[in-house]
Amino acid sequence: MRSFDVSKMPDWPLPTILVVEDQEDTREFYKMCLSLEGFAVRCAVDGVDGIAQVRAHRPQVVVLDFTLPRLNGAEVLRKIRRDPGINHTPVVLVSACRSV
């Protein structure tokens, strides 16, 4: 098996993933796993903060919890899709809720 030499990687910024999750333990789990895979991870704790961070930081992907305070995941996704500046952003909608 060939080894991977990080020092030979191009000096490009890391791809950024925004995690929008109100549960701290789940948010930190996503952050740890994604960081270990080489992504820069930003976090938001509710839907309003999530929308603001997508607009401000233009992440390559958003991991979006369905059950959030202030704006739920469906409302956040709707706002992202209606905003021409960010509507191209891929979104992964997730939930631990069994009734979704």
Side-chain angles (χ1 to χ4, degrees):
M1 177 179 266
R2 295 173 65 181
S3 63
F4 182 71
D5 187 353
V6 176
S7 67
K8 293 184 180 179
M9 287 181 63
D11 193 21
W12 296 328
L14 296 174
T16 302
I17 296 179
L18 173 64
V19 174
V20 186
E21 170 61 62
D22 60 319
Q23 298 297 315
E24 183 177 9
D25 57 340
T26 304
R27 187 173 58 246
E28 290 303 315
F29 176 75
Y30 283 136
K31 184 176 181 178
M32 179 188 66
C33 292
L34 293 167
S35 295
L36 287 172
E37 291 298 321
F39 296 98
V41 181
R42 300 190 66 86
C43 295
V45 298
D46 62 42
V48 173
D49 186 28
I51 290 288
Q53 289 206 41
V54 173
R55 288 179 176 143
H57 302 290
R58 309 293 169 125
Q60 279 71 39
V61 176
V62 176
V63 176
L64 176 62
D65 183 26
F66 188 80
T67 55
L68 292 167
R70 297 176 73 189
L71 281 178
N72 70 37
E75 293 166 324
V76 172
L77 181 59
R78 193 173 302 113
K79 286 183 178 289
I80 290 171
R81 293 296 172 247
R82 289 183 178 164
D83 185 326
I86 59 174
N87 65 4
H88 63 281
T89 307
V91 177
V92 178
L93 193 59
V94 297
S95 181
C97 181
R98 293 176 188 224
S99 64
V100 173

